[in-house]
Amino acid sequence: MKITRFITILVAVLMLASCKIRIIVPEGGSVTTSSGAYSCASGNTCDIDIVDFFFEQTFVAAPAAGYTFKFWK
């Protein structure tokens, strides 16, 4: 029973610790985090590897002049 519980917890930890966030920014804006730790410019695709359980970033969309932000997808 202990080995099954250990394997289950190990698999869960490995799955959670290996997540990735992909940010695709179209023309006319950028995406940054409130802390400034991550930034993705207009027309780029940025991948962020999540390697811990304490990833707490708030992403902010910043439209360029003449553009508006509608929604997250």
Side-chain angles (χ1 to χ4, degrees):
M1 183 67 179
K2 285 186 178 183
I3 191 73
T4 305
R5 176 182 263 170
F6 175 76
I7 291 173
T8 304
I9 291 171
L10 180 64
V11 168
V13 167
L14 290 174
M15 289 176 63
L16 289 174
S18 62
C19 295
K20 182 178 282 198
I21 296 175
R22 174 167 282 170
I23 302 170
I24 303 170
V25 183
E27 181 182 332
S30 64
V31 174
T32 59
T33 57
S34 297
S35 68
Y38 300 99
S39 178
C40 194
S42 177
N44 289 332
T45 299
C46 303
D47 292 329
I48 300 172
D49 293 320
I50 310 302
V51 294
D52 62 17
F53 292 110
F54 304 107
F55 183 83
E56 291 184 359
Q57 296 291 329
T58 302
F59 291 90
V60 179
Y67 288 87
T68 58
F69 175 73
K70 284 188 162 183
F71 60 88
W72 290 104
K73 184 175 180 185

